[in-house]
Amino acid sequence: MKISHRSYLLILAVLFAVVWIWLAIAPLDRADWILENVLVILFMIGIAVTYKRFPLSRISYTLIFLFLVFHEIGHITPMQRCLTMNGRNSFSDTG
């Protein structure tokens, strides 16, 4: 089954929206999160506005999607990820 280019972009947009909303629920620093996401929102608007005029390949949209997902996840520092994994401190000597 082959899906249309438009449907493929819609799937990527929905997946990104799910990740974005999941990370927007309780960021560790709301002001920092908003600052980091202003450019993401502007970029997404630009992609949507120029979709018909400058169509990109599926691989291009997929790589943009992956970059934006990694950008969203990247706002959590490695130390914060370690401290919040499984609700315990990974660096603690007491286990």
Side-chain angles (χ1 to χ4, degrees):
M1 178 174 88
K2 186 174 180 178
I3 60 173
S4 70
H5 193 65
R6 183 178 171 142
S7 297
Y8 184 74
L9 293 178
L10 185 60
I11 290 168
L12 290 180
V14 168
L15 288 174
F16 181 74
V18 168
V19 170
W20 193 78
I21 290 169
W22 176 55
L23 293 171
I25 291 175
L28 297 173
D29 184 1
R30 176 71 63 188
D32 184 41
W33 183 86
I34 290 171
L35 181 64
E36 290 177 356
N37 280 280
V38 167
L39 289 176
V40 172
I41 298 299
L42 292 175
F43 183 75
M44 294 295 286
I45 291 170
I47 290 286
V49 168
T50 61
Y51 160 72
K52 289 190 178 186
R53 186 167 182 159
F54 302 112
L56 300 174
S57 66
R58 282 188 180 193
I59 190 72
S60 296
Y61 283 119
T62 303
L63 291 173
I64 290 170
F65 165 77
L66 290 174
F67 172 78
L68 291 175
V69 168
F70 288 139
H71 180 271
E72 288 301 309
I73 293 171
H75 84 274
I76 303 171
T77 64
M79 183 59 126
Q80 292 166 335
R81 280 193 294 271
C82 290
L83 293 175
T84 58
M85 287 175 51
N86 300 326
R88 62 186 176 88
N89 185 344
S90 301
F91 298 108
S92 175
D93 290 335
T94 61

